[in-house]
Amino acid sequence: MYSQQRSQWRRALVDGAMHSAPLNLAVIPWGFLAGSMAVDAGLTFWQSMAMSAIVFAGAAQLVTLGLLNSGAGYITIIISVFFITSQHLLYGLTMRPHVKSFTTTERLSIGFLLTDELFAISAAKRQALSFPYLFGAGFSFYLVWQITSLCGIIMANFVTDLSNLHLDFSVVATLLAIVVPLTKKISTACGVAFSLIVAIVLSLYSISSAIVIAGVGGMCVSVVVSRLLKEEK
């Protein structure tokens, strides 16, 4: 019985890792960029690795490093990162039905590993999600992030200013790969379209909170359209 449970646990772990593999590959240039930017910002090797290991948030890391390079204060950085990562609160609430039966340690583990990619994988699955499946998906992404960040740190010493290679386009490609498969309803499509247009327009006017405003506005539009059309959940 015990060996059968271990076999099922291992199979679910591998399934999670395999299902996250495409997104893991897409984020490789992003990890290179995060590692190299950490070096450019003046962090030591161990500080750069610790940032990727502890913070583990691609967008937050890139924004933090960019603000450090521009001489921004710590309060500005904290507030900016708070708004950039605020969607994780919604992710956590959405995933609550799947993880409420987990132990405290298991919930904390998934909470630490929760990324846009892990949420997308969980949202695409209709059946109940087990801890080993979510852990396998999240931890495989974590390993890829650490390895690519390490490569970026090492490359920064040989290739100057990796940002000129426009590796940050992988961020856009990865997010598109996440958003498009989840856009299955008219309300979702309206919210995405609204966010896209607003983000572009506000960015043209150099409004720093463009992404936050576009994201919150898009969610509101989706809710309103969903209620008007009386879409099923």
Side-chain angles (χ1 to χ4, degrees), residues 8-29:
Q8 292 176 344
W9 203 97
R10 188 162 47 245
R11 189 182 305 115
L13 189 77
V14 173
D15 285 345
M18 292 298 293
H19 289 166
S20 67
L23 293 176
N24 291 349
L25 294 174
V27 84
I28 288 176

Side-chain angles (χ1 to χ4, degrees), residues 3 32 45 54 58 89 97 106 118 126 145 176 189 200 204 212 218:
S3 61
F32 287 163
F45 173 85
I54 298 172
L89 175 61
E106 290 174 343
L118 181 58
R126 295 299 180 184
W145 185 254
L176 281 175
I200 293 174
L204 290 175
V212 176

Side-chain angles (χ1 to χ4, degrees), residues 28 31-32 49 52 140-154:
I28 288 176
F32 287 163
M49 284 303 302
S52 288
S140 66
F141 188 85
Y142 181 79
L143 287 178
V144 170
W145 185 254
Q146 303 314 312
I147 294 171
T148 54
S149 294
L150 174 61
C151 292
I153 293 169
I154 295 173

Side-chain angles (χ1 to χ4, degrees), residues 20-217:
S20 67
L23 293 176
N24 291 349
L25 294 174
V27 84
I28 288 176
W30 196 355
F32 287 163
L33 182 61
S36 66
M37 283 186 64
V39 175
D40 292 339
L43 300 185
T44 65
F45 173 85
W46 293 112
Q47 287 173 338
S48 301
M49 284 303 302
M51 186 178 194
S52 288
I54 298 172
V55 178
F56 184 46
Q61 286 181 228
L62 294 179
V63 169
T64 298
L65 293 169
L67 290 174
L68 282 174
N69 275 328
S70 65
Y74 293 118
I75 300 299
T76 301
I77 293 174
I78 291 172
I79 294 175
S80 300
V81 171
F82 172 80
F83 282 110
I84 289 170
T85 59
S86 59
Q87 79 272 15
H88 283 74
L89 175 61
L90 298 177
Y91 292 169
L93 292 172
T94 303
M95 291 183 65
R96 187 175 181 275
H98 297 293
V99 303
K100 63 181 180 181
S101 61
F102 295 177
T103 65
T104 301
T105 302
E106 290 174 343
R107 289 200 299 272
L108 289 174
S109 299
I110 299 304
F112 175 75
L113 295 173
L114 183 57
T115 58
D116 297 332
E117 290 76 12
L118 181 58
F119 176 75
I121 291 171
S122 66
K125 299 282 286 186
R126 295 299 180 184
Q127 64 267 37
L129 299 169
S130 64
F131 170 74
Y133 177 86
L134 290 173
F135 186 81
F139 191 68
S140 66
F141 188 85
Y142 181 79
L143 287 178
V144 170
W145 185 254
Q146 303 314 312
I147 294 171
T148 54
S149 294
L150 174 61
C151 292
I153 293 169
I154 295 173
M155 289 173 62
N157 295 317
F158 301 98
V159 182
T160 58
D161 200 3
L162 282 177
S163 60
N164 286 335
L165 300 179
H166 301 292
L167 297 178
D168 50 342
F169 180 74
S170 65
V171 179
V172 179
T174 303
L175 294 179
L176 281 175
I178 293 172
V179 171
V180 172
L182 297 178
T183 308
K184 299 177 180 178
K185 296 181 179 180
I186 295 177
S187 59
T188 306
C190 290
V192 170
F194 178 88
S195 297
L196 176 62
I197 295 172
V198 171
I200 293 174
V201 172
L202 295 183
S203 295
L204 290 175
Y205 288 95
S206 301
I207 297 177
S208 58
S209 302
I211 300 300
V212 176
I213 296 172
V216 174

